């Protein structure tokens, strides 16, 4: 599953909370410093993927006539080109491998910035971060569906895509994350 830019602050806060609850990772710089650092790492990764996808779109657009002539499925071709160009962008396409890499990078940066300390193996500490990412991604889809359903049954009919809808969605989304202990 894919992490989107609006999710970076929430998943970063979940990681910070899970690290603090682990019992074997101590904070030296406070929760907000950990959230901020983690969020920066996620945002950089998300922006790297966006740049890669923009390049893929350029490649596909420049070969549009050939693809139409050969009746090539655009979605499959997008994925194939993305996999091929990923090396040039130093980007990991496989979600599992990507999130393992991000977990390692987050742990390393937090430790090098002297924001955390831990008295267990690096792998065990990294697994806390990976588990946070994984559990957030499993839950967020359920929460988005729940919030969308609530907005459908809202007293005043809100139109999806409008600023008012987006504001209400964000407010209810944050409330649901809080109810479920994810932030």
């Amino acid at each position: 599953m894919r992490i989107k830019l609006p999710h970076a602050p929430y998943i970063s806060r979940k990681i910070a909370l899970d690290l603090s609850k682990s019992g074997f990772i101590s904070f030296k710089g406070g929760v907000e410093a950990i959230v901020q650092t983690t969020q920066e790492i996620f945002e950089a990764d998300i922006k790297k993927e966006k740049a890669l996808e923009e390049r893929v779109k350029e490649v596909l657009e420049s070969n549009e006539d050939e693809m139409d002539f050969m009746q090539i499925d655009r979605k499959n071709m997008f994925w194939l080109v993305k996999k091929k160009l990923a090396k040039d962008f130093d980007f990991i396409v496989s979600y599992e491998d990507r999130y393992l890499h991000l977990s390692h990078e987050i742990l390393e940066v937090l430790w090098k910035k002297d924001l955390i300390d831990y008295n267990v193996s690096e792998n065990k500490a990294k697994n806390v971060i990976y588990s946070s990412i994984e559990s957030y991604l499993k839950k967020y889809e359920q929460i988005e569906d729940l919030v969308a359903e609530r907005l459908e049954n809202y007293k005043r009919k809100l139109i999806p895509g409008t600023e008012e809808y987006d504001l209400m969605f964000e407010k209810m989304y944050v409330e649901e994350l809080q109810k479920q202990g994810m932030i």
Side-chain angles (χ1 to χ4, degrees):
M1 183 156 304
R2 183 179 191 166
I3 296 175
K4 299 172 189 164
L5 201 54
H7 295 256
Y10 303 125
I11 197 164
S12 298
R13 182 153 309 279
K14 173 145 180 50
I15 288 169
L17 291 173
D18 290 351
L19 287 172
S20 71
K21 291 177 187 175
S22 71
F24 50 81
I25 296 175
S26 57
F27 288 13
K28 294 180 169 183
V31 172
E32 287 309 313
I34 290 170
V35 171
Q36 182 63 35
T37 302
T38 303
Q39 185 173 340
E40 289 168 5
I41 292 168
F42 276 112
E43 288 174 353
D45 185 71
I46 293 165
K47 288 175 183 174
K48 190 188 297 187
E49 182 176 28
K50 187 173 182 150
L52 168 61
E53 289 181 346
E54 287 299 317
R55 178 66 186 125
V56 170
K57 287 177 187 174
E58 290 171 11
V59 169
L60 292 179
E61 286 173 7
S62 69
N63 294 296
E64 188 87 36
D65 293 337
E66 291 174 46
M67 288 173 38
D68 286 343
F69 178 74
M70 298 174 90
Q71 298 180 342
I72 295 174
D73 179 43
R74 194 167 170 78
K75 190 174 182 179
N76 286 335
M77 185 55 72
F78 183 90
W79 179 247
L80 290 171
V81 173
K82 183 176 179 178
K83 281 175 60 176
K84 181 137 178 86
L85 293 177
K87 292 175 189 158
D88 297 341
F89 283 78
D90 191 30
F91 185 78
I92 301 169
V93 178
S94 160
Y95 289 129
E96 185 176 345
D97 293 343
R98 179 178 174 194
Y99 299 147
L100 282 169
H101 173 76
L102 281 170
S103 299
H104 179 75
E105 183 180 350
I106 290 167
L107 183 66
E108 188 174 325
V109 170
L110 292 176
W111 187 77
K112 283 183 178 178
K113 284 187 168 186
D114 204 29
L115 296 174
I116 63 168
D117 199 14
Y118 49 94
N119 56 3
V120 293
S121 72
E122 182 180 312
N123 219 24
K124 188 168 182 175
K126 182 179 69 175
N127 285 342
V128 172
I129 297 169
Y130 182 80
S131 294
S132 297
I133 295 169
E134 198 173 60
S135 67
Y136 177 85
L137 291 173
K138 285 180 182 173
K139 279 282 197 184
Y140 102 85
E141 232 178 77
Q142 295 169 349
I143 293 172
E144 281 187 340
D145 290 345
L146 179 69
V147 170
E149 185 179 312
R150 284 186 186 159
L151 284 173
E152 268 183 33
N153 299 323
Y154 203 61
K155 297 174 201 167
R156 202 176 60 224
K157 290 294 175 195
L158 299 173
I159 301 167
T162 62
E163 188 175 334
E164 186 179 19
Y165 181 91
D166 292 343
L167 288 171
M168 285 303 297
F169 186 93
E170 183 68 20
K171 180 183 175 211
M172 294 172 95
Y173 185 78
V174 170
E175 287 172 359
E176 193 58 38
L177 286 173
Q178 288 171 334
K179 284 181 192 174
Q180 300 212 14
M182 294 184 69
I183 61 170

